[in-house]
Amino acid sequence: MTETTVTPERALVVEEGDVKPGFIGQSVPRKEDKRLVQGEGVFFDDVKRHEMGYVHFVRSPYAHARIKSVDVSKAHELDGVYGTLTGDEVAILTDPFFELSTAPGANIKDYALAVGRVRHVGDPVAAVVARTRELARDAAELVEVEYEPLQHVLDGEESLKDEVVLHEEAGSNTVWSGVFDWGDFDAALADADHVVRIERLHFDRFSSTPLECSGCLVEYNRGTAQWTIHGNHQMPGVGAIWMAPALRVGIDKLRFVSQDIGGGFGNKITLHPQYTACCLLARKLNRPVQWTEWRTDQHTANTHGNERTFLDVTVPVKADGTMLGFSVRAIDDCGAFPRYEPLGCIIWAQVTPGCYRWRNIRVDFTQVCTNKSPVAPNRGYSRMQHLWLTERIVDIVAGELGLDPIEVRKKNYVKHEEFPYETPNGCIYDSGDYARCLDIALDLIGYDSLEEKRRDAESRGKLLGIGIGSTLDSGTNNFGQSMILNPELQFSGNNEVATVKLDIFGEVVVTLGTVPQGQGHETTASQVVADILGCTPDQVNVRAGHDTYWNSTAGFSGTYASQFAVTGLGAVKGATEKLAGEMKQLAAAVFGCSPDDIELVESQARIKGNPEAALPFMALGAILNANNAGLPPELDVTLNVRHVYRPPFEKPDLERKYGNLTLTYATQIHACALEIDPETGVYEIVDYAAVDDCGNRIHPQIVEGQVHGATAQALGAATHEIFTYDEEGNLLTPNFYDYHVPHALDMPPLKTGFIESESPFTPLGAKGMGEGGGAGIHAVCAALQNALGRRGEGPIVWRSCNPYEGVWDLVQKPEQTRKLVSVESR
Amino acid sequence: MKVSGERQFEAPRATVWEVLNDPAQMAKTMPGVESFDIQDDRHWRAHVKIPLGLGGLRMSIDFEKMEEREPEFAKLHAKGNGVGAVLNMDTSFNLVEAEGGTNMKWEAEVHLLGPVASMGQRVLQPIVNQQVSQVLGALDKQVQEAKTG
């Protein structure tokens, strides 16, 4: 399936085999792959230093307890133990990390180690450094911690009651709360022919689990009082903003270095507590220290995705199936600390009406702390939960009113001709064709023969269901949305940096501010550079990884929020265009002509129409860098340029909570066909299609890889991946034995399609697209609902994760969930 | 986790009471006890190795007698610490004279915390059942020995 739509300058449909000019749009070999498949990648854990020590964190077995004492003396007695760090030391040596929220969340005191109290199982209480990793773990067992257990709270709604308060200094478990009210919901309600009410929906707690756990190697230079952190933080600029004030140093004292990172997905954004502890240890012990997180610790105490309960969902609907909006009360559970929160309280608003033309929306949003692991952005951060809600709304409304969910979607989707489309809260959907994507998805799974397939399944004792998930992958944040939560925050817009230079031997060298975690940045950056400079990607050396001392770092540098194709490549494009201009100026000075007469082709700067008058890149590099006598003094070129790409954002209207919160909107429409065995609840996905529209695709194979990855993420979250706690606050899924991530053999046959709706707002017409997994979660929920329910009958799929035993419950006790939904028809 | 049950002993209530309230005798009923220290008549400590699927879990368990009404009721609190596990347990028993001996009703509320609890949750119940069964069997033996002197 290859086709492209929307761009007026191009043919509406590009058939397979058509070739776009240049390297952009081609699946050139990935620069990263050779070293990765040969085992020659360099991850933080590969970095070793003489005499380094290994860090192990002593963690709380209690969900909530007062720390009465911490005794590290026995650990110190063990041969090979280099030292320890306790919460008391941390409280003296550092300040609490700054909080993004207004009060009460603003009053929370969050340190690198627990100070005075533990608030979730796995909360780090002390750290031990020893000669080996295993010895550090053994020594950690000798640290004696006396706890006074406290009552704990594990449920978001219970937490709201403040009967157990996690943070005394805040006085409440509420981190942030606010009402978002756009359009006129009351008028819409009055105007409705039907009102569908859903008492409760729940988005379960899960997380993406990168192949590489978190960690770092930290060196401290006593002479310069500067730390070098070889790590896998995926947003070090923001990490430094948290860490430097806490450590009471300037931000330039923290140098973050990474080459290869084994996946991020957002949960490597909030590593500042662990990294700060390691910085303190490296300084205290005067030796490099390395921390490599154990998988169990990663599950138990790193970060999870936001868990969210939706209550009292009210949906006004016209007789023809037009939906006028919705209202909802959302309770978001951020775990023990709001480490990146309360940003999740606003990020969802980037996709307020989902893919739909709903104009009247009221959301009463509250975020609370509970005695569970803190949350962090998780691929699809906050939008995933909200889009799952919008999709459940569509399917439940369609089911209750006896409407075709396909037709309801098409009736309510934003129309192709309405782009750019402004949502009720001022976001601008840049481009797309949702109905077309849906048609492709349906075609891929053979929707026309649905009834025949259903009968066939029934003949085998199975129930067939088909479900759609249609979501948006909003990319390139406007950080100004944080001011809607807290007007005192001084964040807005976004930025990213790249440098490009032409070296003495004619080598084109690129550095990126982004922190790639496997997304192929070296490859796609080289494609962009090659097209502008008239060379090949092979001739472009994109430095692997990230180093804050490269001078290619801006305040928001990193890889997150589906934005590299816009911000990262926007910076690369801008820098390369500057370099191209300088190369033309230099060549013009040598040839004695105007820069306008120079073209860059075939790795040369030459006079247009005169291929003989050409300077190879090597000559340009050598002339400026090593043979520059005689060049005109007014020639102001360095062949080493830096560009900061800044997306076109305004600050939002804080009163109305209104504005363009993000720049691009990629689309994912997924269709799922599954069969349930009603005797056991076991179900199998028998057909699956994912259709993606991310604007102009820079490297189709990389896009395809992201689609596959996001689909696997979604199917895991929909079927098995769930962080379950027992009543004591113990995590029951702390490793891959209990927490089942889809393996290759678990994946269904996956069919993919795409269209390309060029974004009018971005440098390359591309949109970020790394977080489109939400569609799959809903597609599975909808397919289960389709298989189990009939109009006004059968169970309601009300949770995002539906393992087999949950489906068996739905089959056995349909009345328990049926009562969650009611319809008022006028 | 709450566990409870009932047990008949062919011995007078005073004998059963004596066994249940003698830490040294009780130590003999507990599986995996490696050492036992009596601090006073209300406090004692046991070092045990609890069998788990992947090897024994060593714990140091402090017992404290919280309440007693001789010869019918006693309540104990136990707090254990081990590698990757914390145990908190409140247990009590009621002794009633019955035909031919003594009837004991007992209950325990067990809280297991830490990584062992996280990973072992699914096998915990059968292990607890097995431990309880062994304790009660051994207790029966101790009571018979006490009865026969």
Side-chain angles (χ1 to χ4, degrees):
Chain A
M1 177 70 56
T2 52
E3 59 179 279
T4 181
T5 65
V6 178
T7 48
E9 297 81 5
R10 294 182 180 175
L12 280 180
V13 176
V14 176
E15 296 298 337
E16 193 164 0
D18 286 3
V19 178
K20 298 173 187 174
F23 292 100
I24 291 177
Q26 309 302 319
S27 294
V28 301
R30 282 184 16 130
K31 284 175 172 283
E32 299 86 347
D33 286 348
K34 186 179 175 189
R35 70 169 184 270
L36 292 175
V37 298
Q38 291 184 342
E40 298 293 344
V42 177
F43 299 82
F44 84 87
D45 199 43
D46 296 314
V47 182
K48 306 294 180 196
R49 290 292 181 271
H50 183 62
E51 292 289 289
M52 68 189 221
Y54 292 83
V55 178
H56 189 90
F57 288 102
V58 179
R59 297 182 181 277
S60 167
Y62 288 92
H64 197 193
R66 190 165 287 118
I67 300 170
K68 293 171 75 175
S69 65
V70 179
D71 183 352
V72 294
S73 56
K74 286 183 182 161
H76 278 280
E77 288 168 12
L78 199 63
D79 186 35
V81 169
Y82 297 142
T84 59
L85 185 74
T86 65
D88 285 349
E89 291 174 85
V90 167
I92 294 167
L93 296 170
T94 66
D95 292 321
F97 300 115
F98 88 92
E99 295 292 337
L100 292 166
S101 184
T102 51
N107 299 325
I108 289 172
K109 288 191 168 45
D110 185 12
Y111 288 95
L113 295 176
V115 175
R117 192 187 277 215
V118 291
R119 295 179 174 86
H120 65 97
V121 170
D123 207 353
V125 178
V128 177
V129 181
R131 193 173 52 228
T132 67
R133 194 176 177 215
E134 291 70 25
L135 186 62
R137 184 164 63 169
D138 288 348
E141 298 294 349
L142 299 176
V143 174
E144 293 178 353
V145 186
E146 194 176 352
Y147 297 99
E148 178 189 335
L150 300 169
Q151 291 293 312
H152 55 261
V153 59
L154 302 170
D155 176 77
E157 288 173 79
E158 284 299 312
S159 174
L160 269 179
K161 297 174 184 169
D162 282 337
E163 289 170 358
V164 173
V165 175
L166 273 74
H167 300 278
E168 282 178 320
E169 59 276 16
S172 169
N173 292 328
T174 298
V175 176
W176 188 91
S177 66
V179 176
F180 302 79
D181 203 349
W182 298 297
D184 188 343
F185 182 76
D186 291 331
L189 205 55
D191 193 33
D193 297 312
H194 308 281
V195 178
V196 179
R197 293 187 171 85
I198 310 164
E199 189 181 310
R200 170 183 299 271
L201 296 167
H202 186 81
F203 193 93
D204 288 297
R205 179 175 275 245
F206 82 106
S207 187
S208 305
T209 46
L211 214 56
E212 178 200 37
C213 287
S214 304
C216 58
L217 178 131
V218 180
E219 301 172 89
Y220 183 66
N221 183 325
R222 291 167 83 92
T224 61
Q226 176 251 329
W227 284 279
T228 300
I229 302 164
H230 301 268
N232 54 14
H233 199 299
Q234 67 181 96
M235 201 175 172
V238 165
I241 288 175
W242 264 299
M243 289 172 64
L247 287 163
R248 301 166 185 153
V249 298
I251 216 160
D252 200 48
K253 295 297 182 189
L254 296 170
R255 178 187 181 190
F256 289 83
V257 181
S258 63
Q259 181 179 307
D260 296 304
I261 295 179
F265 310 112
N267 43 26
K268 287 175 178 163
I269 286 179
T270 52
L271 296 177
H272 50 280
Q274 296 94 328
Y275 277 22
T276 299
C278 289
C279 285
L280 292 174
L281 282 163
R283 186 173 65 183
K284 177 182 176 180
L285 305 179
N286 193 26
R287 71 168 68 235
V289 299
Q290 196 212 46
W291 165 61
T292 301
E293 186 181 46
W294 298 88
R295 178 62 66 182
T296 300
D297 289 345
Q298 211 262 344
H299 281 217
T300 308
N302 188 324
T303 54
H304 298 167
N306 295 55
E307 184 175 357
R308 195 171 296 170
T309 304
F310 300 100
L311 301 172
D312 306 327
V313 184
T314 305
V315 192
V317 188
K318 299 294 285 181
D320 67 353
T322 301
M323 298 161 75
L324 303 176
F326 66 90
S327 73
V328 66
R329 196 156 60 90
I331 298 169
D332 189 87
D333 171 1
C334 76
F337 293 95
R339 293 260 157 88
Y340 195 79
E341 301 301 324
L343 290 181
C345 299
I346 185 67
I347 298 285
W348 62 268
Q350 296 172 5
V351 292
T352 295
C355 296
Y356 305 100
R357 303 165 77 231
W358 304 339
R359 304 304 304 174
N360 311 290
I361 294 173
R362 181 183 293 159
V363 179
D364 182 344
F365 199 104
T366 300
Q367 186 174 66
V368 293
C369 284
T370 60
N371 293 111
K372 295 188 286 196
S373 176
V375 303
N378 176 42
R379 196 180 197 178
Y381 177 40
S382 193
R383 296 98 84 203
M384 176 185 286
Q385 290 82 345
H386 183 77
L387 290 164
W388 179 79
L389 166 71
T390 63
E391 289 296 281
R392 284 314 292 135
I393 286 175
V394 170
D395 278 297
I396 290 174
V397 165
E400 295 307 298
L401 299 181
L403 305 170
D404 178 353
I406 307 292
E407 292 311 313
V408 169
R409 280 189 168 79
K410 288 186 175 177
K411 179 177 278 295
N412 287 278
Y413 273 157
V414 175
K415 309 285 185 240
H416 166 57
E417 57 275 16
E418 292 174 322
F419 291 99
Y421 176 83
E422 185 172 313
T423 68
N425 61 320
C427 291
I428 310 295
Y429 290 180
D430 48 352
S431 60
D433 190 342
Y434 308 153
R436 177 81 186 107
C437 289
L438 177 54
D439 282 338
I440 295 171
L442 293 174
D443 190 39
L444 286 171
I445 64 162
Y447 185 71
D448 287 345
S449 54
L450 170 63
E451 288 312 315
E452 187 185 328
K453 289 173 180 166
R454 205 187 291 278
R455 283 193 297 276
D456 174 58
E458 282 171 2
S459 73
R460 291 180 280 110
K462 302 287 178 65
L463 301 173
L464 182 101
I466 289 196
I468 306 300
S470 38
T471 63
L472 300 171
D473 184 356
S474 53
T476 306
N477 270 339
N478 176 359
F479 281 87
Q481 64 204 282
S482 64
M483 300 174 79
I484 293 175
L485 303 176
N486 181 354
E488 291 183 7
L489 290 177
Q490 298 299 308
F491 298 116
S492 69
N494 198 328
N495 53 21
E496 190 52 274
V497 186
T499 69
V500 184
K501 66 174 179 175
L502 188 67
D503 259 350
I504 188 167
F505 291 153
E507 186 182 19
V508 180
V509 179
V510 179
T511 63
L512 304 172
T514 59
V515 188
Q517 306 125 36
Q519 297 91 344
H521 291 185
E522 292 162 50
T523 305
T524 48
S526 70
Q527 290 174 270
V528 172
V529 172
D531 276 0
I532 296 169
L533 295 186
C535 60
T536 68
D538 287 345
Q539 293 172 279
V540 180
N541 175 36
V542 182
R543 285 186 185 162
H546 175 91
D547 186 334
T548 42
Y549 275 21
W550 281 345
N551 196 26
S552 51
T553 303
F556 298 118
S557 280
T559 294
Y560 56 93
S562 294
Q563 63 177 42
F564 178 73
V566 177
T567 57
L569 293 183
V572 168
K573 179 172 182 280
T576 311
E577 285 171 346
K578 285 182 184 173
L579 178 66
E582 288 198 357
M583 289 164 70
K584 288 178 183 175
Q585 284 182 59
L586 177 60
V590 172
F591 288 128
C593 63
S594 162
D596 293 340
D597 295 332
I598 302 293
E599 62 180 358
L600 301 175
V601 284
E602 296 174 357
S603 307
Q604 297 174 335
R606 67 190 188 198
I607 296 175
K608 292 174 186 171
N610 182 6
E612 299 300 314
L615 284 168
F617 284 4
M618 186 173 176
L620 288 173
I623 288 170
L624 189 83
N625 288 296
N627 189 14
N628 53 41
L631 287 177
E634 67 276 10
L635 182 67
D636 184 17
V637 299
T638 62
L639 299 188
N640 187 346
V641 296
R642 179 178 192 266
H643 182 74
V644 179
Y645 171 74
R646 218 169 45 239
F649 282 132
E650 299 291 328
K651 288 184 180 175
D653 179 336
L654 304 186
E655 257 329 280
R656 297 164 60 207
K657 299 184 174 71
Y658 185 93
N660 199 10
L661 307 184
T662 198
L663 194 67
T664 63
Y665 288 87
T667 313
Q668 291 85 27
I669 309 289
H670 289 208
C672 169
L674 54 77
E675 289 182 359
I676 304 173
D677 180 345
E679 295 291 320
T680 61
V682 171
Y683 59 93
E684 182 187 359
I685 296 171
V686 294
D687 212 346
Y688 200 95
V691 179
D692 185 84
D693 174 9
C694 62
N696 291 345
R697 302 187 308 167
I698 310 297
H699 190 293
Q701 198 176 49
I702 289 177
V703 170
E704 185 84 354
Q706 290 284 353
V707 169
H708 279 241
T711 304
Q713 178 211 19
L715 297 186
T719 57
H720 296 298
E721 289 186 45
I722 183 167
F723 285 130
T724 307
Y725 286 82
D726 72 6
E727 58 185 14
E728 309 289 349
N730 293 310
L731 179 64
L732 298 181
T733 46
N735 52 44
F736 286 141
Y737 181 75
D738 294 304
Y739 186 91
H740 185 72
V741 175
H743 302 174
L745 293 177
D746 294 321
M747 285 294 286
L750 178 59
K751 299 165 181 170
T752 59
F754 69 92
I755 66 170
E756 290 183 325
S757 304
E758 183 174 314
S759 174
F761 304 141
T762 65
L764 296 162
K767 310 176 187 185
M769 53 76 59
E771 304 183 62
I777 302 177
H778 189 266
V780 171
C781 289
L784 290 170
Q785 183 80 63
N786 181 253
L788 298 175
R790 296 289 178 269
R791 184 179 181 182
E793 295 175 10
I796 299 293
V797 177
W798 67 285
R799 294 180 67 159
S800 61
C801 184
N802 292 279
Y804 301 150
E805 65 270 22
V807 173
W808 190 82
D809 271 346
L810 290 172
V811 173
Q812 296 298 312
K813 304 164 197 162
E815 67 286 352
Q816 286 192 352
T817 53
R818 162 60 33 199
K819 65 186 179 189
L820 295 174
V821 173
S822 63
V823 180
E824 177 194 344
S825 293
R826 298 162 176 168
Chain B
M1 181 193 309
K2 277 188 178 173
V3 283
S4 60
E6 233 177 302
R7 185 87 174 185
Q8 292 283 343
F9 297 100
E10 292 176 2
R13 181 161 66 166
T15 305
V16 179
W17 173 265
E18 190 186 325
V19 171
L20 286 170
N21 284 275
D22 179 354
Q25 291 201 62
M26 277 305 290
K28 293 177 186 170
T29 70
M30 294 167 60
V33 173
E34 295 182 330
S35 66
F36 200 81
D37 308 313
I38 299 169
Q39 285 140 345
D40 58 43
D41 61 350
R42 300 186 75 82
H43 298 88
W44 56 94
R45 173 177 292 175
H47 295 278
V48 302
K49 186 177 176 186
I50 300 171
L52 283 179
L54 298 173
L57 167 64
R58 287 181 197 280
M59 286 195 113
S60 166
I61 306 176
D62 287 311
F63 292 90
E64 183 182 4
K65 188 180 284 182
M66 308 297 292
E67 200 180 334
E68 68 176 339
R69 291 195 304 276
E70 190 175 353
E72 59 183 23
F73 177 80
K75 186 176 179 182
L76 289 174
H77 176 72
K79 185 177 179 185
N81 273 299
V83 175
V86 171
L87 169 79
N88 279 302
M89 180 173 74
D90 287 298
T91 181
S92 62
F93 61 82
N94 250 305
L95 300 179
V96 180
E97 287 180 343
E99 194 177 337
T102 306
N103 179 273
M104 178 180 77
K105 284 187 179 171
W106 61 271
E107 64 181 28
E109 186 163 350
V110 183
H111 300 265
L112 191 61
L113 306 164
V116 169
S118 289
M119 291 185 276
Q121 198 69 225
R122 284 162 183 76
V123 295
L124 208 55
Q125 188 71 52
I127 287 174
V128 168
N129 292 345
Q130 186 191 40
Q131 298 288 299
V132 166
S133 166
Q134 286 186 24
V135 167
L136 292 174
L139 184 60
D140 216 8
K141 197 175 161 196
Q142 286 297 115
V143 167
Q144 287 310 312
E145 284 179 9
K147 182 180 148 191
T148 56

